[in-house]
Amino acid sequence: MLSIGIDLGGTNIVASVVNDKYEILGTGKLPTAVPRSAEEIFDDIASACKNAMNQANVNINDISSVGQGTPGTVNGDGVIEFANNLGFDNVPAKDMLKERLGDVPVYIENDANCAALGEAYAGCGNGASNFVAVTLGTGVGSGIIVDGKIVSGVNFAGGECGHMVIMVDGEPCTCGRKGCWEAYASASALIRQTRAAMDLYPDSAMHDIVKEEGKVSGRTAFDAMRKGDIAGTNVVNNYIKYVACGLINIVNALQPEIICVGGGICNEGDTLMDPLRRYVQAERYSIHSKIQTKIMKAELGNGAGVIGAALLGSKNQ
Amino acid sequence: MLSIGIDLGGTNIVASVVNDKYEILGTGKLPTAVPRSAEEIFDDIASACKNAMNQANVNINDISSVGQGTPGTVNGDGVIEFANNLGFDNVPAKDMLKERLGDVPVYIENDANCAALGEAYAGCGNGASNFVAVTLGTGVGSGIIVDGKIVSGVNFAGGECGHMVIMVDGEPCTCGRKGCWEAYASASALIRQTRAAMDLYPDSAMHDIVKEEGKVSGRTAFDAMRKGDIAGTNVVNNYIKYVACGLINIVNALQPEIICVGGGICNEGDTLMDPLRRYVQAERYSIHSKIQTKIMKAELGNGAGVIGAALLGSKNQ
């Protein structure tokens, strides 16, 4: 059984033909090239699908369903109600895809939720039916899987764990609240925390690293820590504490089998994951339970979204 | 179809015969009288069930299932792994009930989860399938319903939203973490906040109210606010902000149809509920969605636990 997964991002449109072993048989990729009309973008989504099918040497009659992940809020009719970075306002994505691809079942979901579904079934979740995926990127994205299905909530806007406040009256967040997890645990927040420490400590090794690399990044403080720099070590320790705080909140609320942590920061590997696991172990409410949530590193990287989208028809209905 | 719901609390054992209209046909009540052996307590649970059946004029053959809500963590085999206030450590509750009641399906669940199930089906949820119940009591209890079923997680310890940190490094919580929602939004926290304000403001009307009533309670600050007292008003406003913070966190993560707020503090009615709703409306992430989570007052009070327990066999399997 083959399906097509589409990842509609602010930069690229990626479509892949996926088999039931979660293997990608063919991929089409085109630039999203915003700002453009939704009509034009969906023409290119259809082209990317056709390119993927050509590469896989199949046609639309071989495809049992098409799933698309998209930024923003998608309602139960497959309408993208709002997606800021695409300039979409009530775009009937499901109908527009059906018009272009023919009579095939089509499912539209939020992209972070698709990525969670992908990791749950085909990535580090290995089929876990209660699973949360967290991505530490520009923001903190997340998707929640309960009983094998995406928790999208009454208005399909669910799963935004990044916008849970961990510090009342804390750092302002892009969402309008103050003190969101995202404002402390995203890569952007780490860069902000790194800059603040550099201002305070002009002798820190972080300054040399930034001079060499040309910019402050999510790696700067980690690299400084590896050189024995105290200010950098403190930035890393505080950042990990903030990440852990949100993870433990999720454990206490949902006790999933697995929380999967992804995003560029995860390239730090055990330097990040080991202390996160120690925090969770020390602070989880379920201290008396034999079975505990596992904290794992994401496996699929950017491919999670496409594979998760391809699974919408078979696993999420 | 009749079932029995049992609410095993630290003070009382309550058992009720419930019909499929969620009506209580008979109730048995006995003191829990801890500390006692689990054997003795379960003998009295069985007696309470028999008293309830006698009052309803039915016998065990008329009962399709028995459900029990209990403090602590209950695993999938119906074993209470740990319940601090009952002194229970690996008590095989399901087997002990079956031994005493005969061959009837028996289900055991955490009591806050039972209360959530009760409110979702028979209370303010009116059958809502995505529902969160929050109780502002000595602690902050909660239960999460997704797709009509309790989210108990991989180790049956799920639903502890009260132990999500809203203030990194904040007030110490009984669970060992610092800054949990419970440490700011429980009735006990409100009393602590009231006492702190009284210490700061010796002229506050709160002092007269406490003199009259003999103690500081969750009502003190609200009563002072009604008399125009500024210190009392500030306590109430801050408390409501803390309660709202956790509610919005739940909205952003799960976007349930309804969050139900219960506990003694809810007797304040719209004085509490109206500002909570305004906070949620202003800060929810789903600002562009037409459908939004409703914030409602609990309807069933203490009865939610017994009715929810009675529904474990029919609604939660």
Side-chain angles (χ1 to χ4, degrees):
Chain A
M1 221 175 59
L2 302 180
S3 57
I4 293 177
I6 301 161
D7 186 10
L8 170 58
T11 310
N12 287 306
I13 297 158
V14 180
S16 292
V17 175
V18 178
N19 70 13
D20 53 12
K21 289 174 186 159
Y22 315 128
E23 293 162 336
I24 290 177
L25 306 186
T27 292
K29 189 170 168 180
L30 289 166
T32 315
V34 282
R36 281 200 292 170
S37 74
E39 294 289 336
E40 290 172 295
I41 290 174
F42 274 79
D43 286 346
D44 276 357
I45 292 175
S47 298
C49 291
K50 280 162 196 165
N51 295 345
M53 287 189 281
N54 286 342
Q55 199 180 94
N57 203 19
V58 299
N59 66 50
I60 194 71
N61 298 321
D62 302 312
I63 302 297
S64 58
S65 69
V66 176
Q68 178 179 319
T70 170
T73 311
V74 184
N75 73 23
D77 300 323
V79 174
I80 303 173
E81 293 189 348
F82 185 78
N84 192 38
N85 59 349
L86 299 173
F88 281 7
D89 188 2
N90 282 306
V91 169
K94 183 176 171 176
D95 292 345
M96 291 173 78
L97 261 183
K98 274 179 169 286
E99 269 169 32
R100 286 160 175 79
L101 295 176
D103 190 26
V104 58
V106 168
Y107 304 93
I108 319 281
E109 248 297 346
N110 170 271
D111 50 3
N113 289 345
C114 286
L117 197 67
E119 280 287 349
Y121 281 96
C124 71
N126 197 20
S129 56
N130 292 292
F131 183 91
V132 177
V134 170
T135 306
L136 310 173
T138 313
V140 173
S142 72
I144 300 169
I145 311 289
V146 169
D147 274 347
K149 291 184 184 175
I150 295 166
V151 175
S152 50
V154 69
N155 51 15
F156 307 93
E160 291 288 350
C161 296
H163 297 285
M164 300 203 293
V165 162
I166 62 163
M167 188 82 89
V168 170
D169 292 332
E171 293 287 340
C173 182
T174 53
C175 78
R177 299 186 83 187
K178 283 179 183 172
C180 285
W181 190 28
E182 170 163 312
Y184 290 86
S186 62
S188 323
L190 173 56
I191 290 170
R192 193 193 69 235
Q193 292 153 14
T194 303
R195 285 208 174 100
M198 287 172 66
D199 286 348
L200 276 175
Y201 301 99
D203 296 334
S204 159
M206 293 188 283
H207 291 277
D208 299 332
I209 293 165
V210 169
K211 248 180 229 156
E212 237 171 72
E213 303 205 338
K215 63 170 184 180
V216 181
S217 77
R219 285 194 55 169
T220 307
F222 282 94
D223 285 343
M225 180 176 75
R226 279 184 276 270
K227 292 184 176 197
D229 183 64
I230 293 174
T233 305
N234 284 341
V235 169
V236 169
N237 287 347
N238 276 318
Y239 174 74
I240 288 175
K241 185 170 100 169
Y242 294 134
V243 174
C245 176
L247 295 180
I248 301 161
N249 284 358
I250 294 170
V251 170
N252 286 354
L254 297 169
Q255 299 282 348
E257 288 171 62
I258 292 168
I259 300 179
C260 147
V261 185
I265 305 286
C266 286
N267 295 332
E268 297 294 340
D270 291 343
T271 311
L272 175 72
M273 300 303 292
D274 283 348
L276 286 180
R277 291 187 184 112
R278 284 196 296 271
Y279 267 113
V280 174
Q281 197 172 5
E283 290 196 26
R284 64 194 173 200
Y285 190 73
S286 52
I287 207 138
H288 294 283
S289 298
K290 281 172 220 143
I291 306 170
Q292 298 287 354
T293 301
K294 288 182 196 143
I295 310 295
M296 297 181 74
K297 187 165 169 281
E299 285 180 4
L300 299 181
N302 292 333
V306 161
I307 292 175
L311 295 176
L312 287 173
S314 57
K315 302 293 186 191
N316 199 47
Q317 303 310 312
Chain B
M1 223 175 58
L2 304 179
S3 56
I4 292 178
I6 301 162
D7 187 9
L8 170 59
T11 311
N12 287 305
I13 297 158
V14 181
S16 291
V17 174
V18 177
N19 68 15
D20 53 11
K21 290 174 185 158
Y22 316 127
E23 292 163 336
I24 289 176
L25 307 184
T27 292
K29 189 171 169 178
L30 289 165
T32 314
V34 280
R36 281 200 291 171
S37 74
E39 294 288 335
E40 289 171 295
I41 290 174
F42 274 81
D43 286 346
D44 275 358
I45 291 174
S47 297
C49 290
K50 279 160 197 164
N51 296 345
M53 287 189 280
N54 286 342
Q55 201 182 90
N57 204 20
V58 299
N59 66 50
I60 194 71
N61 299 320
D62 302 312
I63 301 295
S64 58
S65 69
V66 175
Q68 178 179 320
T70 169
T73 311
V74 185
N75 72 23
D77 300 322
V79 174
I80 303 173
E81 292 189 348
F82 185 78
N84 191 36
N85 59 348
L86 299 172
F88 280 9
D89 188 2
N90 282 306
V91 169
K94 183 177 173 176
D95 292 345
M96 291 173 79
L97 260 182
K98 274 179 170 286
E99 270 168 31
R100 286 160 175 80
L101 294 176
D103 189 27
V104 59
V106 169
Y107 304 92
I108 318 282
E109 249 295 347
N110 170 270
D111 51 3
N113 288 344
C114 287
L117 196 69
E119 279 288 349
Y121 281 97
C124 70
N126 198 22
S129 56
N130 291 292
F131 183 91
V132 177
V134 169
T135 307
L136 309 173
T138 312
V140 173
S142 72
I144 300 170
I145 311 289
V146 168
D147 273 347
K149 292 185 181 173
I150 295 166
V151 176
S152 50
V154 68
N155 50 15
F156 307 93
E160 291 288 351
C161 296
H163 297 285
M164 299 202 295
V165 161
I166 62 164
M167 190 82 90
V168 170
D169 292 331
E171 294 286 339
C173 181
T174 52
C175 77
R177 297 186 85 186
K178 284 181 183 169
C180 283
W181 190 28
E182 170 164 310
Y184 290 86
S186 62
S188 323
L190 173 56
I191 290 169
R192 191 192 69 233
Q193 292 153 14
T194 303
R195 285 207 174 102
M198 289 172 65
D199 286 348
L200 276 175
Y201 300 100
D203 295 335
S204 160
M206 292 189 283
H207 291 277
D208 299 331
I209 293 165
V210 169
K211 249 179 227 154
E212 238 170 70
E213 303 205 338
K215 62 170 185 178
V216 181
S217 78
R219 284 194 55 169
T220 307
F222 281 94
D223 285 343
M225 181 176 75
R226 280 183 277 270
K227 292 183 177 197
D229 182 66
I230 292 173
T233 305
N234 284 341
V235 169
V236 169
N237 288 346
N238 276 319
Y239 175 73
I240 288 176
K241 186 170 101 169
Y242 294 134
V243 174
C245 177
L247 295 180
I248 301 161
N249 284 358
I250 294 169
V251 170
N252 286 355
L254 297 169
Q255 299 283 349
E257 288 172 60
I258 292 168
I259 300 178
C260 149
V261 185
I265 304 287
C266 286
N267 295 332
E268 296 294 339
D270 291 342
T271 311
L272 175 72
M273 300 304 291
D274 283 348
L276 285 180
R277 290 186 185 113
R278 284 196 297 272
Y279 267 112
V280 173
Q281 197 172 6
E283 290 196 25
R284 65 195 172 200
Y285 190 73
S286 52
I287 207 137
H288 295 282
S289 298
K290 281 171 217 141
I291 308 170
Q292 298 286 355
T293 301
K294 288 181 194 144
I295 310 296
M296 298 182 73
K297 188 166 168 280
E299 283 179 6
L300 300 180
N302 292 334
V306 161
I307 292 175
L311 295 177
L312 287 174
S314 58
K315 302 293 187 191
N316 199 48
Q317 303 309 313

